[in-house]
Amino acid sequence: LLAGSIADVIGTKRVNLLGCFLTSIFILACGLARTGIELIMFRAMQGIAVSLCLPTSVAIVANAAPSGRKRNIGFSCLGFVQPIGFSLGMVLEGVILDTMGWRFSYYLCGSLSLALFAVSVWALPKDAVIEGSAFDKLKKEIDWVGAVVASTSLGLFSYILA
């Protein structure tokens, strides 16, 4: 909720690129982790970074594609690649674990994520120009208390159900 609100104010491409970059860095950091606590913290930060990517990717498709077949295909692709990536990732991870070890998969995925980040800088449509100060807009146009309360409530609800 908070990432989507920030993206509405400062631009979807900016927030998406920040999320993609941070995700790549935290994936690589997982491979460099030396203790279990470090790995857990890097994975948690990776989850927060991914939360910057997901709402903005939906907004980018919604803004870039006109209503109709093209937009529907874009949303279908967003929904389709997640379970395919999960399933394929599980199979490939089993092969990689047996042959090269668990760290290699983090290095591979982090490197691929950085490469895709570089492509995204060029390929994603440009954001609208922000008029005025971005910090002023962030202070005035976002309901920070509501976003934090709603996000915390959803997080606690998920934690309780888990």
Side-chain angles (χ1 to χ4, degrees):
L1 295 174
L2 192 55
S5 298
I6 292 170
D8 287 342
V9 173
I10 65 171
T12 55
K13 181 178 180 178
R14 291 177 186 101
V15 175
N16 188 282
L17 289 177
L18 176 65
C20 290
F21 179 73
L22 290 175
T23 300
S24 302
I25 296 302
F26 289 126
I27 291 171
L28 288 171
C30 287
L32 298 172
R34 298 293 170 220
T35 66
I37 297 296
E38 285 179 0
L39 182 62
I40 290 168
M41 294 307 295
F42 289 140
R43 292 289 290 168
M45 298 317 255
Q46 181 185 346
I48 292 170
V50 166
S51 75
L52 297 173
C53 299
L54 294 178
T56 55
S57 62
V58 172
I60 288 170
V61 170
N63 293 334
S67 292
R69 183 174 168 84
K70 287 185 179 182
R71 184 182 287 183
N72 292 343
I73 290 172
F75 286 137
S76 297
C77 288
L78 281 176
F80 179 70
V81 297
Q82 291 172 357
I84 293 299
F86 177 78
S87 302
L88 187 62
M90 294 288 279
V91 172
L92 290 176
E93 182 61 27
V95 172
I96 290 172
L97 269 173
D98 285 344
T99 56
M100 292 176 258
W102 66 272
R103 291 184 191 274
F104 178 78
S105 62
Y106 283 113
Y107 299 143
L108 178 66
C109 290
S111 300
L112 289 173
S113 294
L114 275 176
L116 291 173
F117 163 76
V119 170
S120 297
V121 170
W122 170 75
L124 291 178
K126 295 189 185 306
D127 285 331
V129 177
I130 299 174
E131 294 180 14
S133 171
F135 290 113
D136 289 339
K137 287 185 171 257
L138 286 173
K139 281 193 259 181
K140 294 177 184 175
E141 295 185 22
I142 295 178
D143 176 18
W144 290 99
V145 174
V148 169
V149 168
S151 296
T152 303
S153 298
L154 287 171
L156 289 173
F157 186 65
S158 296
Y159 178 74
I160 290 168
L161 290 178

